[in-house]
Amino acid sequence: MRAKLGVSALVLLFLGGLWLVAAPFAVGYQPRGAAYVDATVNDLWLGGSIAGVSFVALVVYAADALRDLARRGKHADA
């Protein structure tokens, strides 16, 4: 149960980070063809950081789960 909650939180953080990256262009407060406004730069850095950290955490969790499954499989054969 705790693992599902953690993975769900990481997925939501990842999606939230992607939204922050896309928001300036989807909502339209970044004028097309203009230099990036401060809010856009902030959203890109913060959203990219959140998405990146949560993606790395998801990969680490998946690798740990696969290692645990492999370890269980080796013990079953012995």
Side-chain angles (χ1 to χ4, degrees):
M1 180 67 172
R2 293 180 87 191
K4 288 182 183 179
L5 183 63
V7 169
S8 299
L10 287 173
V11 168
L12 286 176
L13 277 173
F14 180 70
L15 293 175
L18 290 181
W19 170 248
L20 281 174
V21 170
F25 311 103
V27 176
Y29 63 82
Q30 171 58 47
R32 181 171 285 207
Y36 284 171
V37 295
D38 289 338
T40 300
V41 173
N42 184 42
D43 278 359
L44 291 175
W45 277 106
L46 186 62
S49 299
I50 290 172
V53 168
S54 60
F55 181 75
V56 168
L58 281 168
V59 168
V60 168
Y61 177 80
D64 186 50
L66 286 173
R67 185 178 60 207
D68 188 43
L69 284 173
R71 190 180 320 137
R72 287 183 189 178
K74 288 181 183 175
H75 290 295
D77 292 339

